[in-house]
């Protein structure tokens, strides 16, 4: 727990923020102290609600001078606890809500940090453009949050992570200075790229106040299919064929095990079994193209060839937007559908795409030995080598007993990931939850370099002090 916030710091913050710019009301603050998975419960004596970049600069400047730690929070959808304060000043971006500009010639949208991803999508659509970052949390996740966590999602295969989708940033650095890097250049080779340092820094190197986001053309045709396959190897072979045969039209390629589909059928009202008979694994594939009719044609050819090759057990192609939505909901509900099933060890890991089958086989075997009756629900962005490998307590087992073994179980999973050349956090970040574990898998050279960068920008370590190295 961080030391109490001194009274003089609080009165200086109140003075710069004005009467609407802060809160000490426990009821107002309470929703910001718990996170989506109920794993982290925080505390703060003071919620700062800046409404402009100048306000953010004033708050950070006062705190820097006093050595007062701050935790920054956007939409509070982060899954590793980094946005939950433990006694620090809580800086919320909820009032930084302006979309400053949408410019189709530059294919850029400039949004303030508290704008949600859904609002970005809607503003881009208004000028017949799209911002291709899709998350199940997009109704709440904010621009500042996705930038700071370098969020991924379902379209990384084609468009990359947030890191690939940002042209410029505006941020308040830990000493309270404003850095205006809101460029919209596709080319800028003038030294270190500060924006890339801030992207994925999980709020440790600055408070992001606005971002210039890359827009893309709207697709004229789209095809979504749910495909039953026998093994992850078959899914990988299909992915390779899809990439080879569609000329880059693969927009998403997601893998789910049968158990996760059963959880969705049981726990998410309205879910229907996507195929006539159960399959061990399911691929949700989406192709999109700028040419009318082209994605549908490519999907039909791809499925026919896959069936002929014996790679596909069965498949269904969505015939309407609502059918496509229903198929996507099965995928997006993989995590929510686990909630009623009891305690889970969750892993957000990445391995080289070619190693996904080996990872699943080795880890399943290791879990069988370590937690024989546990239920494994693995799903994820197989096209990115990113698997959410979730180990649920045995049917009828005790949540407390399962939780007590979590760290040891996760260590086994992470060691396998490391041996296969992977990462223990593919897209959620390290936050408060995984920082110590993350340090185990970094070399001393890399840790020292990362600490040197942080110390140079934040010598008093005031920003998100419990997060990262
Ligand atoms: C149902 C569900 C599905 C999800 N799916 C995905 C997915 O597919 N891919 C994925 O990558 N993530 C996913 N997430 C995780 C989460 O949505 C992302 O990490 C998102 O980017 C967090 O945005 P946020 O605004 O909620 O940030 P918060 O949760 O508020 O904060 C997250 C981190 O960013 C920091 N931060 C927030 N705003 C700022 C700012 N303005 N300046 C500096 N630091 C800041 C916080 O301090 C914290 O460390 C999912 C979450 C849920 C609940």
């Amino acid at each position: 727990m961080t030391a109490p916030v001194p009274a003089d710091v609080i009165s200086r913050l109140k003075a710069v923020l004005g009467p609407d710019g802060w809160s000490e009301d426990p009821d107002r603050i309470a929703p910001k102290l718990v996170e989506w998975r109920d794993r982290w419960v925080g505390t703060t004596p003071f919620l700062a609600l800046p409404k402009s970049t100048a306000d953010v600069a004033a708050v950070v400047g006062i705190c820097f001078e006093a050595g007062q730690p701050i935790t920054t929070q956007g939409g509070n959808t982060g899954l590793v606890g980094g946005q939950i304060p433990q006694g620090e000043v809580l800086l919320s971006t909820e009032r930084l809500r302006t979309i400053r500009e949408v410019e189709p010639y530059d294919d850029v949208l400039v949004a303030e940090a508290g704008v949600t991803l859904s609002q970005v999508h809607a503003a881009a659509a208004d000028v017949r453009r799209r911002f291709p970052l899709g998350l199940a949390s997009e109704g709440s996740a904010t621009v500042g949050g996705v930038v700071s966590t370098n969020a991924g999602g379902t379209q990384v295969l084609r468009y990359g992570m947030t890191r690939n989708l940002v042209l410029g940033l505006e941020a308040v650095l830990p000493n309270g200075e404003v850095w205006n890097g809101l460029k919209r250049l596709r080319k800028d080779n003038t030294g270190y790229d500060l924006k890339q340092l801030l992207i994925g820094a999980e709020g440790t190197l600055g408070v992001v106040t606005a971002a210039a986001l890359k827009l893309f053309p709207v697709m004229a045709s789209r095809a979504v299919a749910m495909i039953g396959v026998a093994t992850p190897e078959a899914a990988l072979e299909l992915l390779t064929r899809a990439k080879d045969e569609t000329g880059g039209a693969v927009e998403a390629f997601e893998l789910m095990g049968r158990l996760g589909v059963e959880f969705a059928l049981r726990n998410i009202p309205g879910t229907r079994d996507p195929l006539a008979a159960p399959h061990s694994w399911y691929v949700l594939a989406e192709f999109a193209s700028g040419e009318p009719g082209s994605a549908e044609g490519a999907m039909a050819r791809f499925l026919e060839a896959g069936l002929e090759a014996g790679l596909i057990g069965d498949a269904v192609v969505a015939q309407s937007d609502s059918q496509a939505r229903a198929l996507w909901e099965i995928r997006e509900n993989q995590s929510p559908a686990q909630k009623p099933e009891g305690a889970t060890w969750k892993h957000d890991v990445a391995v080289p795409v070619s190693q996904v089958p080996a990872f699943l086989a080795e880890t399943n075997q290791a879990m069988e030995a370590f937690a024989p009756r546990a239920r494994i629900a693995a799903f994820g962005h197989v096209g990115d080598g990113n698997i959410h490998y979730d180990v649920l307590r045995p049917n009828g087992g005790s949540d407390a007993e399962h939780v007590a073994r979590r760290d040891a179980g996760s260590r086994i999973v992470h060691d396998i990931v490391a041996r296969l050349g992977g990462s223990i956090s593919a897209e959620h970040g390290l936050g408060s939850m995984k920082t110590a574990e993350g340090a185990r898998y970094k070399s001393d050279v890399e840790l020292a370099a990362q600490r040197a960068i942080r110390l140079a920008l934040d010598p008093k370590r005031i920003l998100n002090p419990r997060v990262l190295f």
Side-chain angles (χ1 to χ4, degrees), residues 36 71-79 82-83 93 113 134-137 140-146 148-154 202-203 206-209 336 381 388 427-428 464 467:
W36 191 78
T71 286
T72 304
Q73 188 177 104
N76 192 14
T77 67
L79 296 175
Q83 73 280 13
T93 58
L135 310 179
S137 55
S140 303
T142 62
V143 167
V146 301
S148 300
T149 58
N150 183 28
T154 48
E202 300 189 46
V207 178
V208 173
T209 48
H381 318 293
H388 299 298
E427 55 181 14
H428 299 158
N464 285 13
V467 173

